Amino acid sequence: MFASPGNPGIAEHAELVTLDVTDHAAVLHFCEAQRIGLVVIGPEAPLVDGLADSLRGVGVPVFGPSKEAAQLEGSKAFTKELCARYNIPTAAFKRATDSTQALLHLDSFTIPVVIKADGLAAGKGVTVAMTRAEAEEAIAEIFSGKFGAAGAEVVIEEFMEGEEASFFALTDGHTVVPFGSAQDHKRVGDGDVGPNTGGMGAYSPAPVLTALLEGEALERIVVPTVRAMAEEGMPYSGVLYAGLMLTPQGVKLIEYNARFGDPECQVLMLRLEDDLGELLLAVAEGRLATRPVPRLSRDTALTVVVAAKGYPDSPVKGGAIAGLDAAEARGAKVFHAGTVLDQGKLVANGGRVLNVTALGRNVTAAQASAYDAVAAIRFDDGFCRRDIGWREVMREREG
């Protein structure tokens, strides 16, 4: 197994290689030289850039959607228009290509309102504006170029009341099978305060997404989307990650991701009781229907992101990290994210540095195990939220 760019965590399982994923010819050459039998494209940018198409073009099996299909994540306007055409429940919206048009559209929405940069913005570029002034400021910020090409267009959305949950499904473009649920925590601070991040922690399954609601999400949102993409000549293959809002009117789509996502991937992987490689290859080769539905543990997995101080704006790099073996000795699994070896010592090399992940019979138990493991880690330049899973912990206490 090879990983690029990789980190010291995955280096225990794979050989790290340096590849420029924007150089498709170089990636193809490597795959040919190493006789690669499956490529798993993790991040969204190479998917939107069409790397999967280049690999499939030379016969390499790929887990991940084509460039056209990856628009489900790469363009919020594309997804909203698709939902409108196929009657997939989501928030009312308008799209705008300049601030004048956006401000005119804003008049047709009540406050609060959601303002989004259309393209990829690394988990940012979304503002829930609680006042008209905040909405206008968000529109100006996006069109100022803060998010680069992602801000060429703005999507203005109706604010939806309810609780958020994430639902995952595997599909080869024809067959669709569920792959679990999760809830994450986007705000940087305890109590869900501060700026949005790529995610400060998550747990799976999400009890709030009951079997009935999960069935509704599959039947009314995910399956119709996969069917619509096939009908429009851009079949979707890979994992489809649906961000959902559980509203009084039913389950509605917030947005899609075209990959597993972080930190949700970590909790799903800890619960998986199946051969991941076989599953991904079955998706890549279009034979998902020949496999049983993936088996997931009934236990809860909870992950705590340990981030570098200053995240998400200006994370401090280079801070020494120790105690990971002690954390895992307490029953957790520590996934690396922004880490690197510097003269043989583990140091921080990004905003989100580690994901400390543990299993338990419920959210309360998994939370206790995860934070017990966090306590064993020595990382002076790091911090984490101390309340991951707080909503469900409160519900479990109450009854």
Side-chain angles (χ1 to χ4, degrees):
M1 186 163 72
F2 301 90
S4 179
N7 57 42
I10 202 169
E12 295 177 10
H13 310 280
E15 181 180 336
L16 304 190
V17 294
T18 301
L19 286 173
D20 178 0
V21 294
T22 65
D23 185 346
H24 293 196
V27 176
L28 297 185
H29 176 74
F30 177 84
C31 290
E32 180 183 17
Q34 298 294 335
R35 298 166 62 189
I36 298 298
L38 173 66
V39 174
V40 179
I41 302 176
E44 63 274 30
L47 292 168
V48 171
D49 187 44
L51 180 58
D53 304 84
S54 297
L55 289 161
R56 288 191 182 104
V58 296
V60 177
V62 184
F63 181 83
S66 67
K67 179 176 184 174
E68 281 192 313
Q71 289 181 92
L72 282 176
E73 177 168 5
S75 170
K76 295 175 180 65
F78 171 88
T79 301
K80 300 296 283 190
E81 297 282 5
L82 187 85
C83 288
R85 287 196 300 278
Y86 289 89
N87 199 30
I88 296 167
T90 188
F93 75 102
K94 297 277 189 181
R95 53 194 296 190
T97 54
D98 59 56
S99 56
T100 301
Q101 185 183 36
L103 292 172
L104 284 172
H105 286 329
L106 192 58
D107 292 335
S108 62
F109 289 86
T110 57
I111 302 295
V113 66
V114 182
I115 311 296
K116 297 180 177 180
D118 175 62
L120 299 179
K124 298 158 191 156
V126 177
T127 299
V128 179
M130 304 307 292
T131 65
R132 170 83 185 205
E134 283 181 19
E136 292 179 358
E137 183 182 350
I139 289 167
E141 185 177 63
I142 291 170
F143 284 121
S144 74
K146 178 176 180 180
F147 304 105
E153 188 168 340
V154 159
V155 174
I156 304 171
E157 290 186 9
E158 162 199 18
F159 175 78
M160 293 189 288
E161 293 277 0
E163 191 165 343
E164 291 186 38
S166 303
F167 177 69
F168 300 80
L170 297 180
T171 178
D172 56 12
H174 307 285
T175 302
V176 181
V177 298
F179 198 80
S181 64
Q183 278 191 302
D184 76 339
H185 301 64
K186 288 293 186 194
R187 300 280 189 174
V188 74
D190 288 5
D192 291 327
V193 299
N196 272 330
T197 71
M200 294 299 294
Y203 58 92
S204 173
V208 70
L209 193 64
T210 62
L212 186 66
L213 292 176
E214 192 172 297
E216 183 181 334
L218 195 62
E219 182 180 337
R220 299 191 61 210
I221 296 174
V222 177
V223 169
T225 298
V226 172
R227 191 180 300 127
M229 295 295 284
E231 287 179 13
E232 302 222 347
M234 51 186 92
Y236 188 98
S237 175
V239 61
L240 196 53
Y241 166 169
L244 305 173
M245 187 68 77
L246 311 183
T247 78
Q249 296 77 39
V251 181
K252 293 187 179 184
L253 178 70
I254 302 171
E255 61 188 19
Y256 278 124
N257 286 346
R259 27 83 203 197
F260 277 111
D262 174 33
E264 294 85 356
C265 183
Q266 286 87 342
V267 289
L268 290 172
M269 292 306 112
L270 213 63
R271 291 183 59 221
L272 182 65
E273 296 178 339
D274 216 323
D275 188 316
L276 179 65
E278 286 290 338
L279 275 169
L280 303 189
L281 186 60
V283 170
E285 294 181 341
R287 49 181 181 82
L288 188 57
T290 67
R291 287 193 53 86
V293 172
R295 301 188 310 275
L296 296 171
S297 168
R298 292 187 177 184
D299 284 346
T300 293
L302 184 141
T303 190
V304 177
V305 170
V306 179
K309 288 178 180 175
Y311 178 75
D313 297 320
S314 303
V316 175
K317 292 187 178 182
I321 303 165
L324 301 195
D325 288 345
E328 294 205 331
R330 298 185 181 190
K333 173 65 181 174
V334 180
F335 292 94
H336 292 236
T339 65
V340 69
L341 287 176
D342 183 8
Q343 298 181 344
K345 294 185 178 180
L346 190 68
V347 300
N349 190 44
R352 290 182 295 171
V353 179
L354 303 168
N355 286 75
V356 183
T357 315
L359 283 169
R361 59 183 174 79
N362 56 21
V363 176
T364 303
Q367 183 196 62
S369 294
Y371 281 111
D372 182 53
V374 168
I377 295 173
R378 300 188 301 280
F379 178 27
D380 291 343
D381 287 339
F383 76 98
C384 66
R385 280 186 57 165
R386 294 286 168 182
D387 64 347
I388 301 302
W390 67 270
R391 285 187 186 86
E392 201 56 44
V393 168
M394 286 179 61
R395 283 192 279 256
E396 288 174 358
R397 278 184 194 149
E398 290 167 0

